[in-house]
Amino acid sequence: MSENYRLATMQDAPRLQHVIYEAYITIRELELHWPAAHADLALIQDNIHSNECYVLEKDGVIAATVTLSKGEEVKAVTDFPFIKWFAVDPSYQGAGLGDKLLTWVEQNVIRDRVGAAAVTLATAEKHPWLLPMYERRGYEKLHVFDFDNGDGPMHLLRKIVNPDLYASLQLGKDKQTIGSSND
């Protein structure tokens, strides 16, 4: 039983479309307006091309995926990296593969390669289990927004992946605030 983490390629697009579509059934049932929930092959290919789409293969089959965005979705709120399009094929759910993939991306990509102190993601308040699941994984609410599209409140969550770096960034912000108040 082998597991492999890697970046997706264009050849993976049909399998990724299947995994994401099947994993996002609850999103469609809740009528949330998430692009991934209705992604066609072209949108999957664009995601692979425009972002860093990671996969976890189990015995050579893609079982889970998550994307590190290269876009500007959350730049108005934070400079921390943003992950999206997290999905686990339902036939692999409950085996801990989603947890393994998120942990691997948080540590190996976000913390070690990107060098970020924290990572962000967003989810809908009305989804019955995503918000509590992410909170159990150490994500904290950072910002709430509503696009007035029927999705209701959306939560931008943050997880600190490098506590020492995060503390030094906070200390730097505090010093800037103190320095600017003395002007």
Side-chain angles (χ1 to χ4, degrees):
M1 298 282 172
S2 67
E3 294 176 1
N4 182 45
Y5 303 90
R6 64 174 176 83
L7 278 169
T9 67
M10 286 299 167
Q11 291 75 25
D12 297 321
R15 174 66 184 158
L16 285 172
Q17 183 183 17
H18 170 80
V19 169
I20 292 168
Y21 186 82
E22 294 300 319
Y24 277 48
I25 188 169
T26 303
I27 305 303
R28 290 189 301 280
E29 288 172 348
L30 291 170
E31 299 180 1
L32 293 168
H33 300 89
W34 296 7
H38 302 281
D40 60 11
L41 193 59
L43 190 57
I44 298 289
Q45 290 168 332
D46 181 64
N47 182 57
I48 293 168
H49 174 75
S50 302
N51 301 291
E52 292 180 23
C53 178
Y54 291 92
V55 299
L56 170 54
E57 293 176 313
K58 181 76 172 173
D59 299 323
V61 177
I62 294 174
T65 183
V66 68
T67 294
L68 171 58
S69 176
K70 294 295 186 183
E72 302 288 318
E73 295 97 335
V74 299
K75 293 299 181 195
V77 178
T78 182
D79 287 328
F80 292 128
F82 179 69
I83 57 175
K84 61 183 183 178
W85 289 39
F86 173 56
V88 178
D89 184 314
S91 62
Y92 290 91
Q93 287 178 352
L97 298 179
D99 181 63
K100 286 181 178 183
L101 178 60
L102 281 178
T103 299
W104 185 84
V105 168
E106 291 164 356
Q107 294 175 357
N108 294 282
V109 177
I110 305 299
R111 183 192 67 202
D112 297 345
R113 186 180 60 77
V114 175
V119 63
T120 63
L121 58 77
T123 195
E125 186 172 289
K126 76 179 183 179
H127 192 285
W129 51 265
L130 282 179
L131 188 57
M133 178 195 77
Y134 289 126
E135 289 176 328
R136 283 191 306 275
R137 287 193 46 77
Y139 284 82
E140 302 170 314
K141 293 176 185 173
L142 180 64
H143 185 73
V144 180
F145 49 95
D146 192 329
F147 294 116
D148 292 323
N149 64 0
D151 285 357
M154 296 289 294
H155 293 272
L156 180 63
L157 306 174
R158 175 196 65 216
K159 180 177 182 179
I160 298 168
V161 295
N162 185 332
D164 293 338
L165 179 57
Y166 187 82
S168 71
L169 291 172
Q170 292 306 110
L171 182 60
K173 285 182 183 178
D174 292 344
K175 286 181 179 178
Q176 282 181 334
T177 303
I178 292 168
S180 64
S181 65
N182 291 336
D183 293 341

